[in-house]
Amino acid sequence: MATEGTDRAGNKFLRLRPKAIVPVTIDLKLLPLKGSLYINEQLAVPFLVTNKGANVSTVTVTVRDDQNFVKTTTSLEYMLQPGQNTLGQFSLHAGSTVGVTSTVTVSASASAAADVDFQYDTVIVTTEERVVRKEDNTIPVCNITAVTGSCDVTMLDPCMCSQYNWSGIAEIQDDGFGLYLVTASVNTTGTFRHDPFSVGYNGTISATITSDCCHPLAYITVVDLASNTGQCVFYLAPRLTNYVHSFKPTTQCQTSSDWSTDRVIMAIAAQDAGLLVIVILIAICVVCVRGRNKDVQ
């Protein structure tokens, strides 16, 4: 039997239930789950329940699931004042099987409401296997074990530096995810070699670097699979502070034949200068003689 009518605002309504409507005096909300339901572990199902009625009420909150994940408490009671709310939670206990899905239903009812009037909410959970992600904060190690040669001030002369060579040896190791890349800052005049390794190698390898005194500063850079970067520095001119060999000679370096040519030019220039002085002296003498002849006349 149905009842039809219109409310004071002119809205039509249709009541299908024969019993009187009793306003719900509680409000139940399931809160977000903090994590997943991992096998052989527990997961809390939190909720918030509020007494929205005008009287003190005893609120009963219950939980059930279709996979029996709830092993302990299945019902909780709260005495709530009008407008008061409280937080609570139920615990789910997963088994050892991955991929089991369960529908968890949490319901709440108040003592002031009819037995047939209650609120409920559901959440679906599936058991998972916990995957522990490893972290690698270990910086690869590059240790210089030997250096042969040096570059003093005279050896850094741009016209002479290529004649002086140096070399170094380093040991490289990573204790984290393993080595990924090993490089060095040597140009075409230098060489760099290291022991072969596969990506992710955790052992120790040896590296050799060579260059000349035109490039007395060089780096070996080591990168691991976690992008951690280590470095060792070969500096063959430690007495020079902040040495940077980035300049180029403003003049070409002269060979022995160049020096001979310059000397010939200088000799010719000197001879021309002497001839010019003689010509000037002769001119002065001529002027003096002419002056005396005029005085005699």
Side-chain angles (χ1 to χ4, degrees), residues 9-293:
N11 300 313
K12 292 183 179 182
F13 66 85
L14 175 64
R15 180 179 297 166
L16 299 179
R17 298 183 63 181
K19 295 183 180 180
I21 295 177
V22 178
V24 175
T25 60
I26 57 173
D27 181 49
L28 173 68
K29 292 182 180 179
L30 287 185
L31 302 180
L33 301 179
K34 297 181 179 180
S36 301
L37 183 59
Y38 298 112
I39 58 174
N40 301 318
E41 296 186 28
Q42 298 183 20
L43 175 66
V45 179
F47 61 84
L48 174 68
V49 63
T50 305
N51 179 9
K52 306 187 81 173
N55 302 310
V56 177
S57 180
T58 300
V59 179
T60 303
V61 184
T62 60
V63 64
R64 61 184 176 83
D65 74 285
D66 51 17
Q67 293 293 336
N68 295 321
F69 287 156
V70 181
K71 302 293 185 182
T72 55
T73 303
T74 60
S75 179
L76 297 170
E77 284 191 357
Y78 303 95
M79 181 70 72
L80 299 179
Q81 299 292 328
Q84 184 181 6
N85 60 48
T86 186
L87 292 170
Q89 66 179 33
F90 294 104
S91 294
L92 305 179
H93 301 256
S96 58
T97 304
V98 176
V100 178
T101 300
S102 178
T103 300
V104 181
T105 303
V106 179
S107 60
S109 60
S111 58
D115 293 338
V116 294
D117 294 314
F118 66 94
Q119 283 200 321
Y120 71 94
D121 201 353
T122 62
V123 62
I124 299 176
V125 295
T126 302
T127 57
E128 302 177 14
E129 183 177 4
R130 181 184 290 275
V131 178
V132 179
R133 295 184 178 180
K134 296 182 180 180
E135 293 186 358
D136 179 8
N137 298 318
T138 304
I139 298 176
V141 177
C142 180
N143 289 325
I144 298 175
T145 58
V147 176
T148 303
S150 64
C151 298
D152 57 28
V153 176
T154 59
M155 296 176 183
L156 298 175
D157 184 343
C159 296
M160 305 289 291
C161 58
S162 62
Q163 300 178 17
Y164 303 100
N165 298 317
W166 62 268
S167 64
I169 300 175
E171 286 189 352
I172 298 167
Q173 184 180 7
D174 182 68
D175 294 328
F177 290 169
L179 296 175
Y180 174 69
L181 181 65
V182 179
T183 60
S185 62
V186 291
N187 65 347
T188 56
T189 62
T191 62
F192 176 67
R193 297 183 180 87
H194 59 76
D195 295 338
F197 67 91
S198 57
V199 174
Y201 180 65
N202 285 112
T204 301
I205 65 171
S206 179
T208 303
I209 185 173
T210 66
S211 189
D212 55 32
C213 286
C214 296
H215 303 85
L217 179 64
Y219 302 87
I220 294 180
T221 302
V222 186
V223 183
D224 66 9
L225 282 175
S227 296
N228 299 311
T229 302
Q231 198 173 66
C232 51
V233 181
F234 291 84
Y235 188 26
L236 277 295
R239 297 180 182 178
L240 300 182
T241 305
N242 296 328
Y243 172 81
V244 179
H245 191 87
S246 60
F247 63 89
K248 293 183 179 180
T250 55
T251 59
Q252 294 183 352
C253 299
Q254 294 175 327
T255 61
S256 59
S257 60
D258 293 333
W259 283 108
S260 299
T261 303
D262 288 347
R263 289 170 182 171
V264 171
I265 294 175
M266 292 175 63
I268 294 175
Q271 291 177 0
D272 290 342
L275 180 60
L276 179 60
V277 171
I278 293 173
V279 171
I280 293 173
L281 292 175
I282 293 174
I284 293 174
C285 291
V286 171
V287 172
C288 292
V289 171
R290 289 181 179 179
R292 289 179 181 177
N293 290 337

